[in-house]
Amino acid sequence: MSYMLKLRIWRGDASGGEIKDYPVEVSDGEVVLDAIHRVQASQAGDLAVRWNCKAGKCGSCSAEVNGRPRLMCMCRLSDFEEDEVITVTPMRAFPVIRDLVTDVSYNYEKAKELPAFAPPERDPDGKRRMQQIDVERGQECRKCIECFLCQNTCHVVRDHEDNKPAFAGPRFFLRYAELDMHPLDTHDRRALAQDAAGLGMCNITKCCTEVCPEGIKITDNAIIPLKERVVDRKFDPLVWLGSKIGVR
Ligand code: SF4
Ligand code: F3S
Ligand code: FES
């Protein structure tokens, strides 16, 4: 069954813009991205929208639907009443390029600041070994699709552009935690996470976890353990001494 959706879309660019009405026919079972594509095909050929997989896996189609950060391809129209107005706006924490497309390069800059995985020499038989439990611990972190919805939502940068240089954000705390808990990583990332990445600016509001489309428990399983490890390091005299003489 089809019906007319009261769709509104933000149109504009870095110099400014406005929300415009695009009533469009939609069908049961469709998602917000379907409606956007139909508007693009029938009413606004120049509407800019970033997407790729339409399966919730590429992380490209992030936007805000009625103010809530969502993947447009996973946002079912059936979650809304048929007569409800649906307003789609670009992610607020990043500069707009055009319409629904934002410049997410802040995230790539933060990724560059994070040292890559650094394993030790191989064992004499040419292998590297780790416990199965350590393999499993990292799996949740590796589910990240880099949609940056958590980065967009975190209040530390959402309304405070000036915090960006000092704050890596939840997606990267997830990566810091994954690598710091990896038994084969030789970097000690705790000081870096605390100082350069601004872990201390996170006050555990958990908004990042609420919007993660992969259901990653960013706060409970990454940020809080990472904060605990930073504190352990700071207050454990043996760890402190080890760091001074170059022993981890
Ligand atoms: Fe997206 Fe979740 Fe990864 Fe954040 S942690 S970038 S919300 S998938
Ligand atoms: Fe931000 Fe998540 Fe911390 S929303 S304040 S990074 S718990
Ligand atoms: Fe790939 Fe939505 S289009 S996650």
Side-chain angles (χ1 to χ4, degrees):
M1 220 183 78
S2 63
Y3 62 95
M4 284 304 283
L5 176 70
K6 295 175 187 157
L7 183 63
R8 309 190 77 204
I9 306 170
W10 191 90
R11 301 295 312 272
D13 57 26
S15 63
E18 60 180 336
I19 291 172
K20 292 190 175 169
D21 288 309
Y22 291 99
V24 63
E25 191 166 344
V26 293
S27 302
D28 287 346
E30 289 191 319
V31 294
V32 168
L33 188 60
D34 291 316
I36 296 281
H37 281 162
R38 195 156 301 125
V39 167
Q40 207 180 34
S42 59
Q43 304 177 44
D46 61 343
L47 171 62
V49 55
R50 189 186 279 134
W51 69 285
N52 199 329
C53 69
K54 203 167 175 283
K57 286 298 162 206
C58 73
S60 305
C61 66
S62 302
E64 301 194 5
V65 180
N66 288 356
R68 187 173 166 76
R70 304 285 301 263
L71 292 178
M72 287 186 280
C73 71
M74 300 304 283
C75 186
R76 296 201 164 277
L77 295 176
S78 57
D79 291 346
F80 304 85
E81 300 298 327
E82 287 189 6
D83 61 355
E84 197 174 339
V85 176
I86 295 184
T87 305
V88 186
T89 49
M91 285 193 283
R92 199 173 88 195
F94 309 122
V96 168
I97 297 175
R98 194 156 66 84
D99 302 335
L100 300 178
V101 177
T102 51
D103 176 357
V104 294
S105 49
Y106 157 67
N107 302 289
Y108 304 134
E109 293 306 315
K110 295 300 166 185
K112 276 194 260 176
E113 291 168 10
L114 206 160
F117 175 59
E121 292 295 315
R122 291 178 187 276
D123 294 341
D125 61 1
K127 295 183 179 173
R128 292 195 179 100
R129 292 173 171 81
M130 58 193 280
Q131 302 272 342
Q132 185 60 29
I133 192 171
D134 291 321
V135 174
E136 286 158 12
R137 188 182 294 119
Q139 294 294 1
E140 183 183 17
C141 302
R142 288 193 286 278
K143 280 164 50 187
C144 175
I145 58 172
E146 302 221 299
C147 65
F148 304 131
L149 288 175
C150 58
Q151 301 283 94
N152 173 59
T153 305
C154 177
H155 69 96
V156 176
V157 290
R158 186 170 173 91
D159 295 312
H160 305 280
E161 184 70 24
D162 48 332
N163 281 340
K164 282 184 176 173
F167 188 71
R171 188 277 167 267
F172 298 101
F173 296 146
L174 184 71
R175 182 74 176 144
Y176 273 103
E178 177 196 350
L179 291 174
D180 200 56
M181 289 186 263
H182 196 302
L184 294 183
D185 184 54
T186 55
H187 276 301
D188 184 347
R189 297 166 189 275
R190 284 168 275 186
L192 199 57
Q194 181 70 2
D195 301 335
L199 182 65
M201 295 166 83
C202 161
N203 53 356
I204 321 184
T205 57
K206 298 197 179 188
C207 311
C208 51
T209 300
E210 280 173 27
V211 300
C212 178
E214 284 293 310
I216 302 170
K217 293 193 169 60
I218 308 169
T219 322
D220 287 352
N221 292 349
I223 293 177
I224 292 174
L226 190 58
K227 279 177 176 277
E228 287 170 349
R229 290 167 78 85
V230 168
V231 170
D232 284 351
R233 177 166 190 79
K234 197 167 172 188
F235 295 108
D236 183 334
L238 286 179
V239 173
W240 178 83
L241 182 64
S243 72
K244 292 291 167 201
I245 60 175
V247 179
R248 202 178 168 194

